Structures are given as C-alpha cells and as structure tokens.
Amino acid sequence: MGAGHAHPLYDHGHSRVHRLAPEVKVAAAVLFVFGVAVTPRQAVWAFAVDAMVLLTIIGAARIPLRFVATRLAVIVPFV
C-alpha cells in the first residue's frame, strides 16, 4: 500500500513551469496552438520561432529531451 504510484507518461518536476497555475498553462497552450494554426504555410521562419519557444519551455521545465522525444515519436506520424 505504501509503494509509489508512478506513471511512465508523467514527469514529476519542481520547476517554475511545473509550479504555474493550471489555468495559466492551459491558456498558454491554447494561445500557442492558435498561433501555430493561423501561421501561413509559407512562413517557415515562424515555425522555427515556434520550435525555439517550445525548446525554451522544455528547458525551463527541466524536462529531459529523451522524455519528450519518446512522446513525439507517437505524434509525428500524424503531423
């Protein structure tokens, strides 16, 4: 009964990003998705900026890149 209950898709972190209010994280995610969705296909530089923003947030959250890459392997075929 006292054993830890960890899920392989969960990263138990203690960074500034992890401590943000859930409402802030949801609003930021919605705004980011909307911003990517309205970006014209020809604006490749804008997608590079989006990638840099994501990498910055991943770095600020101190999430290992391998942790992120394994989850992206499932999503990338649909993109």
Side-chain angles (χ1 to χ4, degrees):
M1 297 259 180
H5 301 288
H7 194 277
L9 296 178
Y10 179 71
D11 179 47
H12 187 70
H14 297 288
S15 68
R16 292 173 110 180
V17 177
H18 287 94
R19 288 190 298 268
L20 284 173
E23 297 86 0
V24 173
K25 292 187 269 189
V26 169
V30 168
L31 288 173
F32 183 78
V33 168
F34 180 74
V36 171
V38 298
T39 302
R41 236 184 323 180
Q42 298 82 11
V44 177
W45 63 270
F47 292 114
V49 171
D50 294 339
M52 291 305 295
V53 167
L54 285 178
L55 288 174
T56 302
I57 293 170
I58 290 168
R62 291 188 227 127
I63 300 173
L65 285 179
R66 185 172 183 175
F67 186 82
V68 175
T70 55
R71 277 126 194 94
L72 282 176
V74 176
I75 296 170
V76 168
F78 296 102
V79 177

